[in-house]
Amino acid sequence: MSADSMQPQPPPDDRGAATAADAASLLLSNARLTDGRTVDVRLGGGRIEAVGTAGSLAAGGAARVDLAGYLLLPAPAEPHAHADTALTADAPGPVPYTTEEVQRRATEAALLQLGHGATALRAQVRIGDVHGLGPLEAVLQARRSLRGLADLTAVAVPRLLTGMAGADGLAMLRDALKMGAGVVGGCPDLDPDPAGYVEAVLELAAEHGCPVDLHTDGDDPARLARLAAMAGGLRPGVTIGPCAGLGRLPAEQARRAADQLAAAGVTVVCLPQGGCGATELRGTAPVRLLRAAGVRVAAGSGALRDMSNPVGRGDPLEAAYLLASLGGLPAGEAYGAVSAAARAAMGLAEVRVEAGFPAELLAVRGERLAGVLSLAYSRIVVHRGRVVARTSAVREYCDSAAALDLPRQTRPERPDSTGPGGPGAVRS
């Protein structure tokens, strides 16, 4: 039997409180790294100040967290979430899209993903139609309430951008950027003129100097070729996903498309757990083919318990596990897709467990990365140099002749208890 608990610290009231938290010092002791070393890591000012052998760094006035038994990793990031539709699968009737409801769902979803380890999230938010800019305003309010806990960036996703109807969408997209959306997004596959849609998005992004994040299934080689040709050289950069359709193309067409995306510097964000609301078909992008062509491939979670996937978990380590288990990637490369590659796709600073790098860290109980991806139960999340979430798991077994000689702890006997946790129970 297992029990999980996530206890994020309350968000600060203002930016000044977050700055004060960044300045606090913290010592992470006895942490295991992926290269096998056991180290102490001192954090301060939101960055890693020093890394030394276990016991070599004095705590001084810093708080101390003992990470014995934990593997310390750069924190993952979530490059493809759906904040406005998250946690709607069990709605008894029509899904409410009031500002209050969307803000509540977006905040709850972000905290759930933070508990999994994602200290930065990029959230796709639909704009236009009957809801206008309301969902975006709600997600931006959620972003403010999460300050100091996690960094949330909103992607404005209009439905149409070409023709008569597209004029309204383009005007709304401009308004979304003025409100605080940090990324221009959209789904060109759903527009009558996909190439015109992409052109409009890229022009607006170049005008405002912001990144682009487009939904596409990637099943049309000619359309992908046009997208790559238009996107080449755009800075800060272009991300597309989930591109599951690339895996359904003939091998030669898929390889050609991958080469074109690599030449254009386009990043692909795949969704190992399946599709999301903007793409009806399941499956995932051909990750190994893309990587072999030189395409930067990140991995996201996509739908989180909404109508397109009522069982989504929003867990970056699950995405990495699926890349390793189903995609055949080595554990290190699979984790890199949800950490280093995801952060790069989102325009975030690189994180390493080395002095001088941002203190965005995830500690997971376990000794090696492959084991952590398989059984990632207990986690400690560090954002801007402080612990912002803890998840702990306890597993108990009744005493039995079948018990193996494994490390375990016998709990004190309680005469009034006969179930797990009573006489002879063990913990692992």
Side-chain angles (χ1 to χ4, degrees):
M1 180 175 65
S2 66
D4 288 352
S5 64
M6 184 178 70
Q7 298 176 328
Q9 299 179 16
D13 294 331
D14 53 29
R15 189 174 297 273
T19 303
D22 290 351
S25 297
L26 181 67
L27 180 66
L28 308 177
S29 62
N30 302 311
R32 186 180 179 92
L33 302 184
T34 54
D35 62 10
R37 290 181 294 151
T38 300
V39 299
D40 289 350
V41 181
R42 188 171 64 239
L43 314 178
R47 307 191 77 82
I48 298 173
E49 289 185 340
V51 178
T53 57
S56 66
L57 299 182
R64 179 176 176 273
V65 177
D66 187 358
L67 293 183
Y70 282 79
L71 189 69
L72 186 62
L73 303 164
E78 175 52 72
H80 193 110
H82 285 268
D84 54 340
T85 60
L87 308 175
T88 58
D90 296 330
V95 175
Y97 277 91
T98 64
T99 300
E100 294 76 14
E101 278 297 312
V102 175
Q103 181 183 358
R104 181 191 62 79
R105 293 197 302 262
T107 303
E108 183 179 351
L111 289 175
L112 177 65
Q113 293 179 280
L114 174 65
H116 291 319
T119 62
L121 305 96
R122 178 181 280 189
Q124 312 280 331
V125 186
R126 295 177 299 180
I127 61 173
D129 298 327
V130 298
H131 304 303
L133 292 169
L136 176 63
E137 174 58 30
V139 172
L140 293 176
Q141 290 181 12
R143 180 185 69 180
R144 289 188 284 270
S145 70
L146 290 163
R147 187 179 295 140
L149 287 174
D151 295 327
L152 177 63
T153 301
V155 184
V157 181
R159 190 169 69 88
L160 299 176
L161 287 180
T162 66
M164 294 293 292
D168 291 339
L170 193 57
M172 192 163 293
L173 188 53
R174 290 182 181 277
D175 289 341
L177 292 172
K178 293 176 183 176
M179 288 173 59
V183 183
V184 181
C187 186
D189 296 359
L190 301 181
D191 193 284
D193 180 5
Y197 189 107
V198 172
E199 183 178 5
V201 166
L202 294 177
E203 286 182 357
L204 192 59
E207 177 185 336
H208 289 265
C210 58
V212 169
D213 194 332
L214 295 172
H215 281 261
T216 181
D217 191 50
D219 60 350
D220 187 327
R223 188 180 299 168
L224 270 182
R226 287 194 296 271
L227 190 158
M230 288 188 287
L234 182 72
R235 295 293 179 265
V238 177
T239 297
I240 65 173
C243 293
L246 267 175
R248 299 189 294 272
L249 294 177
E252 183 55 37
Q253 288 186 351
R255 280 194 293 270
R256 190 180 305 117
D259 289 340
Q260 292 165 341
L261 294 173
V266 173
T267 297
V268 172
V269 173
C270 67
L271 303 178
Q273 76 170 9
C276 58
T279 52
E280 299 298 329
L281 297 174
R282 295 293 182 183
T284 191
V287 173
R288 286 191 291 179
L289 180 147
L290 290 166
R291 288 173 57 87
V295 178
R296 180 167 61 199
V297 180
S301 298
L304 175 56
R305 304 211 305 263
D306 62 18
M307 296 304 295
S308 63
N309 187 357
V311 295
R313 292 183 180 177
D315 185 352
L317 267 63
E318 181 194 43
Y321 160 77
L322 291 172
L323 286 178
S325 178
L326 299 180
L329 293 188
E333 293 181 13
Y335 188 74
V338 301
S339 55
R343 290 184 62 85
M346 297 164 67
L348 301 173
E350 181 182 11
V351 174
R352 299 182 191 172
V353 188
E354 299 176 14
F357 284 86
E360 304 289 322
L361 303 168
L362 171 64
V364 187
R365 183 170 288 282
E367 295 185 355
R368 295 177 178 81
L369 189 55
V372 158
L373 296 186
S374 301
L375 297 169
Y377 295 134
S378 298
R379 310 183 193 188
I380 298 174
V381 185
V382 175
H383 173 53
R384 295 184 182 177
R386 69 169 185 151
V387 175
V388 292
R390 295 175 184 264
T391 302
S392 60
V394 176
R395 175 171 290 181
E396 299 179 338
Y397 300 94
C398 287
D399 198 9
S400 168
L404 302 176
D405 185 19
L406 297 174
R408 61 191 187 183
Q409 177 181 349
T410 302
R411 298 185 67 181
E413 294 188 4
R414 296 191 305 174
D416 59 342
S417 176
T418 58
V426 298
R427 309 176 79 185
S428 65

